[in-house]
Amino acid sequence: AQSVTQLGSHVSVSEGALVLLRCNYSSSVPPYLFWYVQYPNQGLQLLLKYTTGATLVKGINGFEAEFKKSETSFHLTKPSAHMSDAAEYFCAVKTGTASKLTFGTGTRLQVTL
Amino acid sequence: DSGVTQTPKHLITATGQRVTLRCSPRSGDLSVYWYQQSLDQGLQFLIQYYNGEERAKGNILERFSAQQFPDLHSELNLSSLELGDSALYFCASSVGPLNTGELFFGEGSRLTVL
């Protein structure tokens, strides 16, 4: 069965600092990996996705993630945090033709002045 | 705005009651997915429909049922409600039957069971 683990339910960074949100996956077959963001009182929105090909994936709002098979990781980064980045971030995995997206438990990002 | 519309946004009801949540997918999307988000369970996949047919089933309780109508809107029916059913219920949509992972989510229906 596929799963993702997000390390840290809460992360706090200063505005302008590096954002690093951690995600490790478990899958017996090559996974498709995703990061979604949920702003307060809104639904989830796709930030970026990895399917095949280039392992460094760029998404919206300056975020990127790198697929590292040897580490079974797909960490999300952003060089410089902005106040508007405060939200909950979810890592998700899907394998093959399965319809189900399996989400992690989420990481709440707080950005302070 | 994702283009996915969910109603109602908020719903408060009592244990034992039945409610219906409604979802209209993005224009052109044929697949609809239902997810439940709660503090203790996180985001759980419930069920997927594609063009009116059930496509995939997740952790959906027998007290819950869903359907997708010819106009592609979907309804999630929750019956014999329990306190533990209190959660945020999301609908998402995508174009085709095979989930590429790019889902468009509505803003959710928050159900409170008292």
Side-chain angles (χ1 to χ4, degrees), chain A residues 84-99:
Chain A
S84 60
D85 295 326
E88 187 141 22
Y89 292 79
F90 292 90
C91 183
V93 64
K94 174 184 130 56
T95 53
T97 58
S99 286

Side-chain angles (χ1 to χ4, degrees), chain B residues 31-102:
Chain B
S31 269
V32 169
Y33 308 78
W34 286 98
Y35 280 84
Q36 179 194 59
Q37 185 180 35
S38 61
L39 285 176
D40 54 344
Q41 300 277 346
L43 263 168
Q44 297 286 318
F45 169 71
L46 296 179
I47 198 164
Q48 177 203 1
Y49 279 83
Y50 172 72
N51 205 19
E53 303 276 334
E54 182 184 302
R55 180 80 184 184
K57 217 168 192 176
N59 303 323
I60 189 165
L61 299 172
E62 284 192 12
R63 299 185 286 108
F64 296 0
S65 65
Q67 56 184 325
Q68 186 179 28
F69 294 88
D71 67 352
L72 301 176
H73 90 272
S74 178
E75 293 181 356
L76 179 66
N77 300 296
L78 315 174
S79 61
S80 302
L81 286 168
E82 302 174 359
L83 295 178
D85 298 327
S86 296
L88 194 51
Y89 291 85
F90 282 110
C91 170
S93 71
S94 68
V95 174
L98 296 179
N99 179 359
T100 63
E102 183 159 10

Side-chain angles (χ1 to χ4, degrees), chain A residues 32 34 36 38 41-46 49 51 88 90 94 96-105, chain B residues 33 35 37 42-43 45 48 55-56 58 88 90 97-108 110:
Chain A
Y32 292 1
F34 309 85
Y36 276 81
Q38 184 180 23
N41 300 313
Q42 293 187 28
L44 282 74
Q45 177 184 2
L46 181 66
K49 65 179 180 181
T51 53
E88 187 141 22
F90 292 90
K94 174 184 130 56
T97 58
S99 286
K100 186 173 82 164
L101 263 187
T102 300
F103 286 89
T105 51
Chain B
Y33 308 78
Y35 280 84
Q37 185 180 35
L43 263 168
F45 169 71
Q48 177 203 1
R55 180 80 184 184
L88 194 51
F90 282 110
L98 296 179
N99 179 359
T100 63
E102 183 159 10
L103 302 183
F104 295 87
F105 282 80
E107 295 186 355
R110 183 171 295 281

